């Protein structure tokens, strides 16, 4: 019979493999031509150690040098020894490139086009070689806009077992995909896409679920609902759908259909604009009830714009609620020069604000960021170590190649972080997280290596900091000086000094995150 095992790599690529009865994950991966990192294959070295996100397994034989019993209890496994006892999702601490695999490209035909309103269009694709398209409910793909060189990222709105691949798009002025769907799309068009990607996907339900959607962020949650309906969990599932205007309200019939297919499923919706047909006016946090949170023993899945993710996280802190798990996917606009409204640039994003939440009007944009808002030290440390590794790699690539203008910009970004910290404290957490991210990301944005940039962005270190830092958080006193020292090393062409500072910075950042996480867990940061 066997089981399905999803291997999620650091660069966002996920591969789903079939693992036979009594077969190890590693053996099945090799059969699928996926080279998971390994040395001994005997449970002795620990090279293949990975974190199991969901499911159960027989850990097999191993020694303490490879993996401790404490790590096993936390969910770690050795892929060379672990035999699945259910479907699994595993985080592989390597890129798909290093595993000699990659996201697949699929050719499809536009089969259905539904213009729900002036603001929302959904479409379905008939995919060639459909049996090769394996994805987890909640994941996304990069779709090439026909007739252009543009790509846009959209989450599946259908379950993995359904034949067509369905998506939902927010229509924005001058957006590449928006213009195509609104003005040129015809049933029968050929459309290519690549994927799947993302760490936002349904884990094995073990407790009540709270699903929160902002606008077209409903799409991946529909995919999750479809999967849940195939084998309904014993625990309740509640969904809250937030929109800006009457024209944004779509998919209510789909939600109603799950009332019959999914026992224990309830839902509600709310609109920011007064006078709509929605039963509530405001934002999603205003209609979250204590019963939905189950005293914190709840898994939250949220898809929406960054302010919504941040506001919900802040609201949970304010209410002194720490969910068992908080998974998110947020629309992530990046500055571009193309003037594409779907990317959120160059026009400013109009926002609607209220006490509890903020939702952006511009929701259909080019990239998605996924992650998990959990405050475990081992997760944060692993991400910081991975960031250090990528920074050392991009330093090797870019050293001696920066123009005078680029060096000046690098220094300006380093100097910007100095204003948000002082005397070993974070003075302005929002400003620090923003400027710190801009500094650390800069070399990746100019290195002309999309894979490195994508790998860096997938780490989402800034989201962990944003969710953990508050005014007064203790931070190592030389944090801003480290940034300046890296720039100075680049200017003096002292590579060894740059590497030394980067490695020391990562070590000290772990200390800061450790203290911040401890403070948060003790309830000091509310």
């Amino acid at each position: 019979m066997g089981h399905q095992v999803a291997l999620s790599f650091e660069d966002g690529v996920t591969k789903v493999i079939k693992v036979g009865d009594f077969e190890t994950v590693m053996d099945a991966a090799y059969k699928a031509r996926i080279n998971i990192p390994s040395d001994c294959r005997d449970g002795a070295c620990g090279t293949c150690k990975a974190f199991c996100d969901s499911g159960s397994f027989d850990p097999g034989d191993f020694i303490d040098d490879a993996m401790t019993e404490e790590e096993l209890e936390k969910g770690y496994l050795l892929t060379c020894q672990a035999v699945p006892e259910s479907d699994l999702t595993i985080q592989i601490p390597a890129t798909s490139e290093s595993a000699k695999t990659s996201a697949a490209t699929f050719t499809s035909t536009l089969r259905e086009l539904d213009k729900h309103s002036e603001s929302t269009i959904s479409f379905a694709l008939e995919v060639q070689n459909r049996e090769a398209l394996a994805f987890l409910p909640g994941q996304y793909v990069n779709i090439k806009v026909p007739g252009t060189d543009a790509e846009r990222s959209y989450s599946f709105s259908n379950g993995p077992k359904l034949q067509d691949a369905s998506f939902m798009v927010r229509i924005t002025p001058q957006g590449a995909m928006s213009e195509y769907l609104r003005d040129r799309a015809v049933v029968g068009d050929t459309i290519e896409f690549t994927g799947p990607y993302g760490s936002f996907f349904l884990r094995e339900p073990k407790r009540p679920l709270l699903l929160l959607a902002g606008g077209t962020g409903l799409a991946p949650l529909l995919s999750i609902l479809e999967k849940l309906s195939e084998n309904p969990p014993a625990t309740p599932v509640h969904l809250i759908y937030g929109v800006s205007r009457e024209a944004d309200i779509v998919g209510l019939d789909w939600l109603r259909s799950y009332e019959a297919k999914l026992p224990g499923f309830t839902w509600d919706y709310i609109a920011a604009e007064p006078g709509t047909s929605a039963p509530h006016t405001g934002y999603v946090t205003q209609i979250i009830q204590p019963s939905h949170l189950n005293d914190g023993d709840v898994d939250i899945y949220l898809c929406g714009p960054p302010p919504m993710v941040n506001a919900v996280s802040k609201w949970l802190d304010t209410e002194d609620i720490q969910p068992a798990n908080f998974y998110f996917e947020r629309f992530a606009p990046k500055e571009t020069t193309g003037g594409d409204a779907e990317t959120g640039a160059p026009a400013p994003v109009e926002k609607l604000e209220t006490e509890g939440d903020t939702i952006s009007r511009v929701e259909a944009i080019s990239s998605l960021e996924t992650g998990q808002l959990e405050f475990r030290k081992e997760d944060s440390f692993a991400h910081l170590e991975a960031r250090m590794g990528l920074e050392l790699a991009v330093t090797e690539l870019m050293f001696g190649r920066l123009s005078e203008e680029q060096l000046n910009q690098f220094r300006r970004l380093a100097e910007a972080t100095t204003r948000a910290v002082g005397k070993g404290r974070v003075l302005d957490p929002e400003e620090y997280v923003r400027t710190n991210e801009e500094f650390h990301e800069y070399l990746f944005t100019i290195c002309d290596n999309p894979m490195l940039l994508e790998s860096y962005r997938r780490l989402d270190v800034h989201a962990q900091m944003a969710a953990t830092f508050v005014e007064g958080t203790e931070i190592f006193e030389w944090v801003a000086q480290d940034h300046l020292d890296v720039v100075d090393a680049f200017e003096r062409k002292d590579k060894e000094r740059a590497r030394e500072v980067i490695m020391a910075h990562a070590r000290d950042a772990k200390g800061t995150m450790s203290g911040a996480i401890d403070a948060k867990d003790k309830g000091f940061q509310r």
Side-chain angles (χ1 to χ4, degrees), residues 96-112:
S96 60
E97 184 178 18
S98 67
K100 307 300 184 200
T101 188
S102 63
T105 297
F106 295 87
T107 300
S108 65
T109 302
L110 182 60
R111 195 184 69 78
E112 190 175 311

Side-chain angles (χ1 to χ4, degrees), residues 266-278:
T266 56
W267 63 284
D268 206 346
Y269 69 108
I270 187 168
E273 184 180 61
T276 71
S277 60

Side-chain angles (χ1 to χ4, degrees), residues 417-438:
T417 62
T418 63
R419 297 189 289 271
V421 291
K423 297 183 178 179
R425 299 279 178 178
V426 176
L427 306 177
D428 185 336
E430 185 174 341
E431 179 71 6
Y432 176 72
V433 170
R434 182 185 66 80
T435 56
N436 182 67
E437 174 66 7
E438 289 174 350

Side-chain angles (χ1 to χ4, degrees), residues 208-419:
L209 303 180
L210 175 59
L211 314 180
L212 305 176
T216 51
L218 181 63
L221 301 185
L222 290 172
S223 181
I224 286 174
L225 289 175
E226 182 62 29
K227 176 64 177 179
L228 290 171
S229 69
E230 294 171 5
N231 185 22
T235 53
V237 178
H238 186 71
L239 181 145
I240 301 177
Y241 173 34
V243 298
S244 296
R245 307 169 299 151
E246 180 72 23
D248 302 330
I249 301 173
V250 300
L252 301 188
D253 287 344
W254 295 332
L255 293 174
R256 293 187 186 105
S257 72
Y258 287 109
E259 294 176 0
K261 295 191 292 184
L262 184 56
F265 173 61
T266 56
W267 63 284
D268 206 346
Y269 69 108
I270 187 168
E273 184 180 61
T276 71
S277 60
H280 310 280
T281 301
Y283 298 90
V284 294
T285 52
Q286 296 170 225
I287 57 173
I288 297 175
Q289 301 299 317
S291 59
H292 304 150
L293 297 167
N294 195 38
D295 292 326
D297 189 26
V298 62
D299 288 344
I300 298 177
Y301 291 81
L302 186 161
C303 184
M308 182 179 180
V309 175
N310 295 339
V312 171
S313 177
K314 187 175 182 179
W315 180 84
L316 290 169
D317 269 355
T318 301
E319 297 297 314
D320 195 21
I321 297 162
Q322 186 171 344
N325 293 291
F326 186 171
Y327 305 102
F328 69 87
E329 177 166 77
R330 59 184 170 197
F331 311 120
K334 297 289 182 183
E335 284 291 323
T336 71
T337 57
D340 189 334
E342 290 182 20
T343 68
V349 175
E350 180 184 1
K351 296 177 181 176
L352 301 175
E353 297 188 341
T354 188
E355 293 180 4
D357 206 350
T358 303
I359 296 182
S360 161
R361 286 189 183 274
V362 179
E363 295 180 11
I365 50 188
S366 64
S367 60
L368 301 174
E369 289 182 352
T370 63
Q372 178 178 355
L373 290 182
E374 281 188 309
F375 306 109
R376 300 183 305 181
K377 291 181 185 178
E378 57 266 32
D379 293 335
S380 179
F381 289 0
H383 286 194
L384 288 168
E385 287 177 359
R387 184 180 74 173
M388 179 190 72
L390 290 172
E391 287 184 322
L392 291 174
V394 79
T395 294
E396 194 71 31
L397 184 65
M398 297 301 295
F399 209 84
R401 294 177 54 190
L402 272 64
S403 67
E404 183 176 352
E405 181 180 346
Q406 288 171 330
L407 285 169
N408 289 338
Q409 175 63 5
F410 201 16
R411 180 165 291 281
R412 282 192 291 269
L413 293 174
E415 291 170 347
T417 62
T418 63
R419 297 189 289 271

